[in-house]
Amino acid sequence: MAGDSLGKIFRVTNWGESHGPAIGCVVEGCPPGMDLNEADIQPFLDKRRPGQSNLVTQRNEADQVKILSGVVDGKTTGTAISLIIENSNQRSKDYSEFAKLYRPSHADFTYQQKYGIRDVSGGGRSSARTTASNVAAGAIAQKILSQLGVEVVSWVESVGEINSNLATEKVTTELVESNPVRCPDQEAAKLMEQKILEVRKQGDTIGGVVRCIVRNMPIGLGEPLFDKLEADLAKAMLSINASKGFEIGSGFAGTKMLGSKHNDIFFKDDDGKIKTHTNNSGGVQGGISNGMELDFKVAFKSVATLMQKQATVDLQGNPIEYQGRGRHDPCVLPRAVPIVDAMTALVVCDHFLRNKVYA
Amino acid sequence: MAGDSLGKIFRVTNWGESHGPAIGCVVEGCPPGMDLNEADIQPFLDKRRPGQSNLVTQRNEADQVKILSGVVDGKTTGTAISLIIENSNQRSKDYSEFAKLYRPSHADFTYQQKYGIRDVSGGGRSSARTTASNVAAGAIAQKILSQLGVEVVSWVESVGEINSNLATEKVTTELVESNPVRCPDQEAAKLMEQKILEVRKQGDTIGGVVRCIVRNMPIGLGEPLFDKLEADLAKAMLSINASKGFEIGSGFAGTKMLGSKHNDIFFKDDDGKIKTHTNNSGGVQGGISNGMELDFKVAFKSVATLMQKQATVDLQGNPIEYQGRGRHDPCVLPRAVPIVDAMTALVVCDHFLRNKVYA
Amino acid sequence: MAGDSLGKIFRVTNWGESHGPAIGCVVEGCPPGMDLNEADIQPFLDKRRPGQSNLVTQRNEADQVKILSGVVDGKTTGTAISLIIENSNQRSKDYSEFAKLYRPSHADFTYQQKYGIRDVSGGGRSSARTTASNVAAGAIAQKILSQLGVEVVSWVESVGEINSNLATEKVTTELVESNPVRCPDQEAAKLMEQKILEVRKQGDTIGGVVRCIVRNMPIGLGEPLFDKLEADLAKAMLSINASKGFEIGSGFAGTKMLGSKHNDIFFKDDDGKIKTHTNNSGGVQGGISNGMELDFKVAFKSVATLMQKQATVDLQGNPIEYQGRGRHDPCVLPRAVPIVDAMTALVVCDHFLRNKVYA
Amino acid sequence: MAGDSLGKIFRVTNWGESHGPAIGCVVEGCPPGMDLNEADIQPFLDKRRPGQSNLVTQRNEADQVKILSGVVDGKTTGTAISLIIENSNQRSKDYSEFAKLYRPSHADFTYQQKYGIRDVSGGGRSSARTTASNVAAGAIAQKILSQLGVEVVSWVESVGEINSNLATEKVTTELVESNPVRCPDQEAAKLMEQKILEVRKQGDTIGGVVRCIVRNMPIGLGEPLFDKLEADLAKAMLSINASKGFEIGSGFAGTKMLGSKHNDIFFKDDDGKIKTHTNNSGGVQGGISNGMELDFKVAFKSVATLMQKQATVDLQGNPIEYQGRGRHDPCVLPRAVPIVDAMTALVVCDHFLRNKVYA
């Protein structure tokens, strides 16, 4: 049943497959009268685009976005914005042999079982290519948020065992974008780059963690019961391909802290604002933003497509060998950063607009 | 705005505050003709109930559920089921002093900022008491699932640094329920119990991790884009009070594994069913259940209310000291188990019914 | 599947059957900080209550509403408001014989076919008693609207062939409430009353039309495509038991007018406001309120339960005779007025809050 | 806020403006494995297309639909179907003068007030052109329904004072399509045609009524409370541009019937099926389909754009004269028929899929 939409007021409806003529989305709830054109969106897509460095897939997609509705004379009208991205590089012959088998840790088996049919080329809707539309929608959300002074910054916190060690206060978008890994700690970035290239040489893949903070968060976003801000963020993050975990604030490590250590103590800052000394809460208390930075992490597993032989089964369950071909990422982390940015912006923007009801 | 409902076909709408006359929920989408009465629900509430052991709050709530609609002559009619639980033990005077200050890591500050008003007694909607209604709704979901042979089992995997070491295959509800901590590893359970009592003696609190598996999962549950099964699970888990993280399958640890290690290799079992040797996917691939066990973890922070003095601020932001009173849990983990069970059952049952559309 | 909720921001979830222990609803989205207690709601229920005059059913229900959540110290908290009304007068034995047959133009047959089970007593969810909960929810919406100066007035426009002839400008709630029919034209009211009593004497029933206007409508309520204000009103009205039609502004009669006559010509009034000379649009243009009065009508058929013998079939389809018993309305119109008021208030209040997103 | 979607399981999300590059929609919930290509959809669009006869606007739009997703190798995959229709004939200069004034009974004033901005060219989202996307989506719904043997037939029942007099049993799609008015009564059709041409000669416009029946309706579609089948139909119909009313079964005329006349008496037919002798209920009882024909009517007002001078106001409210230009319909009725067909199919198909949950 219908399940391609996210958000209640600011709402994205995503459509399209990896190897069809185009992908895209419909964005509802954008406030009217805002300047908007493709140039506001394209830079975000360029960050997610394949082929941007030697760390990612060499599939060549221009990923040029077009606005088809909701904008007149360069201004939003307040009505549904339709975005479309043509699939310029559909090499579906690459995939013909996969029709006969289930690739391990792909969605081949589950789609076939659920629908009785599957789009063999590129995995259909299970392709990470569908995230491009979310990045485009997220670019609109980020424009709305940036006008409020809200800043979303994501980066690669770890690749395999290698961690970024830069304090979050020092992380800037410029630092993140200064290397192809998107790790703001330049030394760690180098090690990560080496690791990714090494893994690729082996025909293997590796995972990692993206961290995201949101600065200048408005207070009061989130709803009490099920639509807590962190619950909606968790859903958005776990909807990203290859993500396996989400934690906010102290997260899993925080389960080991005593309450006397974990509690975030309030104080009044020099501007008379109530803040907390620590931020183990990660910026939410009772499901509602408290004005501190949102601070959360998303775990991404290693990519399932390997350039080495693996055992698997054919459609009848008989053993068969298979080796990935085509152009795939050895590590999704660098390209996951703009996706996490986008999904975060979508959720925060939706809750910002939801909260206007109380104004 | 409206945000008290979870699920699309099997849908719970939760209402009520800790210290009002009652709490409850409306459950839509339960199939007609199923035997149902209060005795199907009460045992689940009894597991969540305060006062059940010396490890949890001594607040004394009978938590007796009543069915007010949707059942006639002991059978569901297919229409909305209304459940109500009276608050028998409302000691709201306990809370009067808290009206003047913001308790650290509680929702006092965020509710006041969002709504301009807050329910001082017991935290209003931010109270974990609201989860009782979800447990009641979850009991109905669990009855539906158990008739399908689906079994949901949650347990305490860790308290602070102490871990359960029992293999998941050996975990049974009986083992989980055989001690007040709800850890199926009896030795770990003893250590956890000691730890909780020790922490309580210090007026402090401690966190931990709940693990949940779902056995005999139907294949095909979950939707491609945003309503992936793990995304809806993540949302449900992060909507539980005090939860700070969610991971499925290999989770955060899996980010360190190479793809060649992480991929779950398919094989045909003796019954001719296609299964995987490992389950790093945690039972979902491409957002859709693959028939292996669902396997995920939820992180719970230490309880915010301490029986020791803490610094905080009053409503004007001036420093003030505060010490928790009343009856609170030193560790939420034992009582979190039935809540995780319930939220899991709600999500799986909703997706089971959603998937019937394809039948 | 879930379908017991109406509204997106101001949202009612309705539960309960005619002959169970209670009925009620959950109201989400009410702004925080508003004074609210049972006395704000009860008068609206009293207007809908059975037994209020000799024109309506003599079933004796006190219909006392209780607020179970969402209000603390007489003020709304901004969270879900739970309302409950006990069924004080459950005479389910009255209905035992109906278990064996399908009453004509009732929901017996369709419920049995849909669910394979039905609540024989009083028709379960198909009973008009479920509208009491909507009236209670509507009372909250009406309080919100009245604070904005918005006034909802419904009345009986016709009973059978007898029409009210009072100009809408002259209609007041006082006039409507000055007679048991709820027709503001006192002469027509007398004729209607006679007609209803005459029809009742024959064991028969009769239908009619309720008209509703909303004065001081805010401009801008309604959304472009599917959630047009009149579309949401039409849905709300057709969800009322026994309603068979909805028309707004010129309605069906307007289909015979030329465009040159039908168009509502704009002018600037003495306060500098842009208004229209006529109101064939009924207060909406392009799905959005234009500040003129909302003006629409709802058709109600005659009640299906007759106090005379009718042919029908038993569960196997064999012919059988049946005669209504118990206490039923000979004409729903007088009691439909507060229901139309309530449903209107729910829709307008929801769209008012939806429109705040653009503020 | 988001309001461009209709349906819960089979769900359409509509986007686009009259004078932008394209319009379109996303259709979710279509069952997998169904043959589908553009040729299944195009004939329905051709019925709604401008320029098809001398009774409708001469605006020349090819209205060629393209499927961008959700179909692989001619079969639906069960995932979101994206449909797009290019606007080939955008004459936005026609509209420049309208930027300075509010056209009577158009959405100019309400859009400007709601959004503070409006798409002057062709009315933006308020243009009836947006219904083309719904017709395309409806074509998919009609294909699903036709495979179940369900037939949707709409026709022009009246234009102004001229009525069709053909019994509904005799109405066929062939008869409806045999004349440009789409009235199956050929004599009435001629009179209607004359009337429309006469009205057009005067630069005026005229309204009418579309009637729709659905044959071979499955029993059990619709939900008890708010999502009654007739309520969802009413919403869908009132969301069509220029519609002012909806009635089902006996409708407004039925309000004058006594219950003893209005009740639909059950009987067992020769196939052992339970049916009713009359169909005053219009095919629904208690909000749920009873297997009889759905039978309802939709009122359409005369078109607002006249080819004669009218008084109106400029943006400051000052009097100004205005005369429509460009290419407009003198009567929407002929083109409303495929739109009513489509909206009906969307609602019935959604409820058919919703009802599968009970299977």
Side-chain angles (χ1 to χ4, degrees):
Chain A
M1 65 171 285
D4 304 272
S5 298
L6 190 79
K8 293 199 172 168
I9 287 184
F10 193 86
R11 184 172 177 90
V12 183
T13 301
N14 182 305
W15 59 267
E17 286 89 29
S18 174
H19 288 64
I23 59 171
C25 63
V26 182
V27 180
E28 296 172 89
C30 183
M34 184 173 88
D35 291 326
L36 187 74
N37 60 47
E38 282 87 352
D40 291 309
I41 302 171
Q42 195 59 48
F44 295 88
L45 281 168
D46 291 346
K47 288 188 188 178
R48 198 213 72 98
R49 205 165 69 80
Q52 60 185 286
S53 81
N54 65 345
L55 298 184
V56 303
T57 172
Q58 295 307 302
R59 178 174 159 143
N60 185 14
E61 284 285 1
D63 277 359
Q64 289 292 319
V65 68
K66 270 185 250 169
I67 299 174
L68 295 181
S69 73
V71 176
V72 168
D73 297 336
K75 290 203 180 286
T76 58
T77 56
T79 58
I81 299 170
S82 176
L83 302 174
I84 192 169
I85 301 165
E86 283 180 34
N87 287 330
S88 54
N89 191 347
Q90 319 163 19
R91 297 226 331 240
S92 59
K93 51 198 148 175
D94 275 348
Y95 295 87
S96 56
E97 83 172 275
F98 306 157
K100 302 172 207 152
L101 55 81
Y102 297 128
R103 291 170 295 162
S105 290
H106 275 273
D108 298 349
F109 175 69
T110 51
Y111 268 62
Q112 185 70 46
Q113 295 294 315
K114 183 180 188 75
Y115 298 112
I117 188 175
R118 73 188 152 106
D119 181 1
V120 171
S121 310
R125 286 294 269 168
S126 72
S127 165
R129 181 148 182 75
T130 59
T131 60
S133 302
N134 296 338
V135 167
I140 300 176
Q142 284 183 277
K143 178 147 191 179
I144 296 167
L145 293 177
S146 72
Q147 293 182 340
L148 300 165
V150 178
E151 187 195 18
V152 178
V153 189
S154 304
W155 66 90
V156 174
E157 179 80 358
S158 68
V159 167
E161 306 272 2
I162 308 161
N163 297 304
S164 173
N165 289 308
L166 196 69
T168 61
E169 309 87 79
K170 297 196 179 158
V171 177
T172 63
T173 299
E174 291 66 37
L175 281 174
V176 174
E177 291 300 321
S178 67
N179 62 66
V181 183
R182 295 206 166 92
C183 171
D185 174 340
Q186 305 302 320
E187 284 189 52
K190 264 176 225 154
L191 296 171
M192 290 172 179
E193 187 171 347
Q194 284 166 21
K195 182 70 184 172
I196 295 171
L197 292 173
E198 176 197 319
V199 159
R200 174 155 82 184
K201 206 171 291 171
Q202 299 158 4
D204 217 326
T205 60
I206 184 110
V209 172
V210 170
R211 184 165 182 178
C212 178
I213 58 171
V214 185
R215 293 175 175 139
N216 287 320
M217 269 296 290
I219 302 177
L221 309 196
E223 305 279 338
L225 250 284
F226 297 116
D227 292 359
K228 289 184 166 80
L229 186 59
E230 66 268 41
D232 280 349
L233 284 168
K235 168 160 179 158
M237 296 307 144
L238 266 293
S239 80
I240 304 175
N241 305 51
S243 72
K244 300 302 284 183
F246 169 87
E247 58 179 7
I248 189 161
S250 63
F252 280 89
T255 66
K256 297 174 184 169
M257 294 165 74
L258 293 178
S260 54
K261 195 81 184 295
H262 194 282
N263 278 358
D264 294 318
I265 305 304
F266 287 114
F267 73 100
K268 184 157 64 172
D269 79 359
D270 295 343
D271 299 333
K273 286 185 185 161
I274 293 176
K275 299 206 161 161
T276 62
H277 287 294
T278 49
N279 188 19
N280 290 314
S281 300
V284 285
Q285 288 172 331
I288 298 169
S289 64
N290 66 358
M292 298 297 290
E293 282 177 359
L294 279 191
D295 183 356
F296 60 87
K297 292 176 188 154
V298 189
F300 290 91
K301 71 180 184 74
S302 43
V303 173
T305 302
L306 311 182
M307 297 302 134
Q308 56 178 242
K309 282 211 175 140
Q310 297 174 81
T312 189
V313 296
D314 64 16
L315 305 194
Q316 288 69 44
N318 300 316
I320 188 171
E321 280 206 326
Y322 137 87
Q323 174 165 347
R325 285 192 311 167
R327 300 141 300 169
H328 293 276
D329 296 86
C331 179
V332 296
L333 273 292
R335 293 176 65 204
V337 166
I339 302 171
V340 170
D341 275 341
M343 299 308 291
T344 304
L346 290 174
V347 171
V348 173
C349 186
D350 185 41
H351 275 283
F352 172 75
L353 292 172
R354 288 177 69 164
N355 203 44
K356 288 189 77 171
V357 172
Y358 301 102
Chain B
M1 66 172 282
D4 304 274
S5 297
L6 190 79
K8 292 197 174 169
I9 287 184
F10 192 86
R11 185 173 176 90
V12 183
T13 300
N14 181 305
W15 59 267
E17 285 90 29
S18 174
H19 287 64
I23 59 171
C25 63
V26 182
V27 180
E28 296 173 90
C30 183
M34 185 175 87
D35 290 325
L36 187 74
N37 59 46
E38 281 87 351
D40 291 307
I41 302 171
Q42 195 60 47
F44 294 87
L45 281 168
D46 291 346
K47 288 189 188 178
R48 200 213 69 98
R49 206 165 68 82
Q52 61 185 284
S53 81
N54 65 344
L55 298 184
V56 304
T57 173
Q58 295 307 302
R59 177 173 160 143
N60 185 12
E61 284 284 2
D63 277 357
Q64 289 293 320
V65 68
K66 270 185 250 172
I67 299 174
L68 295 181
S69 73
V71 176
V72 167
D73 297 336
K75 290 207 181 283
T76 58
T77 56
T79 58
I81 299 171
S82 176
L83 302 174
I84 193 170
I85 301 165
E86 283 181 35
N87 287 329
S88 54
N89 190 347
Q90 317 162 22
R91 298 233 322 246
S92 59
K93 52 199 151 177
D94 275 349
Y95 294 86
S96 57
E97 84 174 273
F98 306 156
K100 301 171 207 152
L101 55 82
Y102 295 130
R103 290 170 297 162
S105 290
H106 274 273
D108 298 348
F109 175 69
T110 52
Y111 268 62
Q112 184 71 44
Q113 295 294 314
K114 184 179 187 75
Y115 298 113
I117 188 175
R118 70 185 154 106
D119 181 1
V120 170
S121 310
R125 287 294 268 169
S126 72
S127 166
R129 180 148 180 75
T130 59
T131 61
S133 302
N134 297 339
V135 167
I140 300 175
Q142 283 183 278
K143 177 146 192 181
I144 296 167
L145 293 177
S146 73
Q147 293 181 340
L148 299 164
V150 178
E151 186 195 18
V152 178
V153 188
S154 304
W155 67 90
V156 174
E157 180 79 359
S158 68
V159 167
E161 306 272 1
I162 309 160
N163 297 303
S164 172
N165 289 308
L166 196 69
T168 60
E169 310 87 78
K170 299 196 178 158
V171 177
T172 62
T173 299
E174 291 65 38
L175 279 175
V176 174
E177 291 300 322
S178 67
N179 62 67
V181 183
R182 295 207 166 90
C183 172
D185 174 342
Q186 305 302 322
E187 283 189 51
K190 264 176 222 153
L191 295 172
M192 290 173 180
E193 185 170 350
Q194 284 165 23
K195 182 69 184 172
I196 294 172
L197 292 173
E198 176 197 319
V199 160
R200 174 154 82 186
K201 204 171 290 174
Q202 298 157 3
D204 216 328
T205 61
I206 184 104
V209 172
V210 171
R211 185 166 181 177
C212 177
I213 60 172
V214 184
R215 291 174 175 141
N216 287 320
M217 267 297 290
I219 301 177
L221 310 196
E223 306 280 336
L225 251 281
F226 298 117
D227 293 359
K228 288 184 166 82
L229 187 59
E230 66 268 42
D232 280 349
L233 283 169
K235 170 161 177 158
M237 296 307 143
L238 267 292
S239 80
I240 304 175
N241 304 51
S243 72
K244 301 301 285 182
F246 169 88
E247 58 179 8
I248 187 160
S250 63
F252 280 90
T255 66
K256 297 173 184 168
M257 293 166 75
L258 292 178
S260 54
K261 195 83 184 292
H262 194 283
N263 278 358
D264 294 318
I265 304 304
F266 287 114
F267 72 101
K268 185 157 63 172
D269 77 0
D270 294 344
D271 298 333
K273 286 186 186 161
I274 294 178
K275 299 205 164 165
T276 62
H277 287 295
T278 49
N279 189 20
N280 289 313
S281 299
V284 286
Q285 288 171 332
I288 297 169
S289 63
N290 66 359
M292 298 296 291
E293 283 179 359
L294 278 191
D295 183 357
F296 60 85
K297 293 177 188 155
V298 189
F300 289 91
K301 72 181 184 75
S302 44
V303 173
T305 301
L306 311 182
M307 298 300 135
Q308 56 179 243
K309 278 208 178 144
Q310 296 175 85
T312 190
V313 295
D314 64 17
L315 305 195
Q316 287 71 43
N318 301 314
I320 189 171
E321 279 204 324
Y322 137 87
Q323 174 165 344
R325 288 191 310 169
R327 300 141 300 169
H328 293 275
D329 295 85
C331 178
V332 296
L333 273 293
R335 294 176 63 206
V337 166
I339 302 172
V340 170
D341 276 341
M343 299 308 292
T344 303
L346 291 174
V347 171
V348 173
C349 185
D350 185 40
H351 275 283
F352 172 76
L353 293 172
R354 288 177 70 164
N355 204 44
K356 288 188 75 170
V357 172
Y358 302 101
Chain C
M1 65 172 283
D4 304 273
S5 297
L6 190 79
K8 292 198 173 168
I9 287 184
F10 192 87
R11 185 172 177 89
V12 183
T13 300
N14 181 305
W15 58 267
E17 286 89 30
S18 175
H19 288 65
I23 58 172
C25 63
V26 182
V27 181
E28 296 173 90
C30 183
M34 185 175 86
D35 291 327
L36 187 74
N37 60 47
E38 282 87 350
D40 291 308
I41 301 171
Q42 195 59 49
F44 293 87
L45 281 168
D46 291 345
K47 287 188 189 179
R48 200 213 70 98
R49 205 166 69 82
Q52 61 185 285
S53 81
N54 65 343
L55 299 184
V56 303
T57 173
Q58 296 306 302
R59 177 171 161 146
N60 185 13
E61 283 285 1
D63 276 358
Q64 289 291 321
V65 69
K66 271 185 248 170
I67 299 174
L68 295 180
S69 72
V71 176
V72 167
D73 297 336
K75 290 205 181 286
T76 58
T77 56
T79 58
I81 299 171
S82 176
L83 301 175
I84 192 170
I85 301 166
E86 283 180 34
N87 286 330
S88 54
N89 190 347
Q90 316 164 21
R91 299 230 326 242
S92 59
K93 52 198 149 177
D94 275 349
Y95 295 85
S96 56
E97 83 174 274
F98 305 156
K100 302 170 207 152
L101 55 82
Y102 296 129
R103 291 169 297 162
S105 290
H106 274 273
D108 298 349
F109 175 69
T110 52
Y111 269 62
Q112 184 70 45
Q113 294 294 315
K114 184 180 187 74
Y115 298 112
I117 188 175
R118 72 187 152 106
D119 181 1
V120 172
S121 309
R125 287 294 269 167
S126 72
S127 165
R129 181 148 182 75
T130 59
T131 60
S133 302
N134 296 339
V135 167
I140 300 175
Q142 283 185 278
K143 179 148 192 179
I144 296 167
L145 293 177
S146 73
Q147 293 181 340
L148 299 164
V150 178
E151 186 195 18
V152 178
V153 189
S154 304
W155 67 90
V156 174
E157 179 79 359
S158 67
V159 167
E161 305 272 1
I162 308 161
N163 296 304
S164 173
N165 288 308
L166 196 69
T168 60
E169 309 88 79
K170 297 195 179 159
V171 176
T172 62
T173 299
E174 290 67 38
L175 280 174
V176 174
E177 291 300 322
S178 66
N179 62 66
V181 183
R182 294 206 167 92
C183 172
D185 174 341
Q186 305 302 322
E187 283 189 51
K190 265 176 222 154
L191 295 171
M192 290 172 179
E193 185 170 349
Q194 284 166 23
K195 182 70 184 174
I196 295 171
L197 292 174
E198 176 198 319
V199 160
R200 172 153 85 182
K201 204 172 289 171
Q202 297 158 5
D204 216 326
T205 60
I206 185 108
V209 172
V210 170
R211 185 166 183 177
C212 177
I213 59 172
V214 184
R215 292 174 175 141
N216 287 320
M217 268 296 290
I219 301 177
L221 309 195
E223 305 279 337
L225 251 283
F226 297 117
D227 292 0
K228 288 184 169 79
L229 187 59
E230 66 268 42
D232 280 350
L233 284 169
K235 169 160 178 160
M237 297 307 143
L238 266 293
S239 80
I240 304 175
N241 305 49
S243 73
K244 300 301 285 182
F246 169 87
E247 58 179 6
I248 188 160
S250 63
F252 281 88
T255 65
K256 298 174 184 168
M257 293 165 76
L258 293 177
S260 54
K261 194 82 183 293
H262 194 283
N263 277 358
D264 294 317
I265 304 305
F266 287 114
F267 72 101
K268 184 157 64 171
D269 77 0
D270 295 343
D271 299 333
K273 286 186 184 157
I274 293 177
K275 299 205 162 164
T276 61
H277 287 295
T278 50
N279 189 18
N280 289 313
S281 300
V284 285
Q285 289 172 331
I288 297 169
S289 63
N290 66 359
M292 298 296 291
E293 282 178 357
L294 280 190
D295 183 358
F296 60 86
K297 292 177 188 155
V298 189
F300 289 91
K301 73 180 183 76
S302 44
V303 173
T305 301
L306 310 183
M307 298 301 134
Q308 54 178 243
K309 280 208 175 142
Q310 296 175 82
T312 190
V313 294
D314 65 17
L315 304 195
Q316 288 71 44
N318 301 315
I320 189 171
E321 279 206 326
Y322 137 87
Q323 175 166 342
R325 286 191 310 168
R327 299 142 301 169
H328 293 275
D329 295 87
C331 178
V332 296
L333 273 293
R335 293 176 64 206
V337 166
I339 302 171
V340 170
D341 275 342
M343 299 308 293
T344 304
L346 290 173
V347 172
V348 173
C349 186
D350 185 41
H351 275 283
F352 172 75
L353 293 171
R354 288 177 71 164
N355 204 44
K356 289 188 76 172
V357 172
Y358 301 102
Chain D
M1 65 172 283
D4 303 273
S5 298
L6 190 79
K8 292 198 173 168
I9 287 184
F10 192 85
R11 184 173 177 90
V12 183
T13 301
N14 181 304
W15 59 267
E17 285 89 30
S18 174
H19 287 66
I23 59 171
C25 63
V26 182
V27 180
E28 296 173 89
C30 183
M34 185 175 86
D35 290 325
L36 187 73
N37 60 47
E38 282 87 353
D40 291 309
I41 302 171
Q42 195 60 47
F44 294 87
L45 281 168
D46 291 345
K47 288 189 189 179
R48 198 214 70 99
R49 204 166 68 82
Q52 60 184 283
S53 81
N54 65 344
L55 299 184
V56 303
T57 173
Q58 295 306 303
R59 178 173 159 144
N60 186 12
E61 285 283 3
D63 277 359
Q64 290 292 320
V65 69
K66 270 185 249 169
I67 299 173
L68 295 181
S69 73
V71 177
V72 167
D73 297 336
K75 291 207 181 284
T76 58
T77 56
T79 58
I81 299 171
S82 175
L83 302 175
I84 192 169
I85 301 165
E86 284 182 33
N87 288 329
S88 54
N89 190 348
Q90 317 163 21
R91 298 228 328 241
S92 59
K93 51 198 151 176
D94 276 348
Y95 294 87
S96 57
E97 83 173 275
F98 306 156
K100 302 171 207 154
L101 54 81
Y102 295 130
R103 290 170 297 162
S105 289
H106 274 273
D108 298 349
F109 175 69
T110 52
Y111 268 62
Q112 185 70 46
Q113 294 293 315
K114 184 179 186 76
Y115 297 112
I117 188 175
R118 72 187 152 104
D119 181 0
V120 171
S121 309
R125 287 292 269 169
S126 72
S127 165
R129 181 151 181 74
T130 58
T131 60
S133 302
N134 296 339
V135 167
I140 300 175
Q142 284 184 279
K143 179 149 191 179
I144 296 167
L145 293 177
S146 73
Q147 294 181 340
L148 300 165
V150 179
E151 185 195 18
V152 178
V153 188
S154 304
W155 67 89
V156 173
E157 179 80 359
S158 68
V159 168
E161 305 272 3
I162 307 161
N163 297 304
S164 173
N165 289 307
L166 196 69
T168 61
E169 310 87 77
K170 299 195 177 158
V171 177
T172 63
T173 300
E174 291 65 38
L175 280 175
V176 174
E177 291 300 321
S178 67
N179 62 66
V181 183
R182 295 205 167 91
C183 172
D185 174 341
Q186 304 302 321
E187 283 189 51
K190 266 176 222 156
L191 295 172
M192 290 172 180
E193 186 170 349
Q194 284 166 23
K195 182 70 183 173
I196 295 171
L197 292 173
E198 176 197 318
V199 160
R200 173 154 84 181
K201 205 171 290 173
Q202 297 157 3
D204 216 327
T205 61
I206 184 110
V209 172
V210 171
R211 185 166 181 176
C212 178
I213 59 172
V214 184
R215 292 174 174 139
N216 287 320
M217 269 296 291
I219 301 177
L221 309 195
E223 304 280 338
L225 250 283
F226 297 116
D227 293 359
K228 289 184 166 80
L229 186 60
E230 67 268 41
D232 280 350
L233 284 168
K235 169 160 178 160
M237 296 306 143
L238 266 293
S239 81
I240 304 175
N241 305 50
S243 72
K244 301 301 284 181
F246 169 88
E247 58 179 8
I248 188 160
S250 63
F252 281 89
T255 65
K256 296 172 184 168
M257 294 165 75
L258 292 178
S260 54
K261 195 80 185 295
H262 194 282
N263 278 358
D264 294 317
I265 304 304
F266 286 113
F267 72 101
K268 183 157 63 171
D269 77 0
D270 294 343
D271 298 333
K273 286 185 184 158
I274 293 177
K275 298 205 162 162
T276 61
H277 287 294
T278 50
N279 189 18
N280 289 313
S281 300
V284 286
Q285 288 172 330
I288 297 168
S289 63
N290 66 0
M292 299 296 288
E293 282 179 0
L294 279 191
D295 183 356
F296 60 85
K297 292 176 188 155
V298 189
F300 289 91
K301 72 180 184 75
S302 43
V303 174
T305 302
L306 310 182
M307 297 302 133
Q308 55 178 242
K309 280 207 176 142
Q310 297 175 82
T312 190
V313 295
D314 64 17
L315 304 194
Q316 288 69 46
N318 300 315
I320 188 171
E321 279 206 325
Y322 138 88
Q323 174 166 346
R325 286 192 311 167
R327 300 142 300 170
H328 293 276
D329 296 85
C331 178
V332 296
L333 273 292
R335 294 176 64 205
V337 166
I339 302 171
V340 169
D341 275 342
M343 299 308 293
T344 303
L346 291 173
V347 171
V348 173
C349 186
D350 185 42
H351 275 283
F352 171 75
L353 293 171
R354 287 176 70 162
N355 204 45
K356 289 187 76 171
V357 172
Y358 301 103

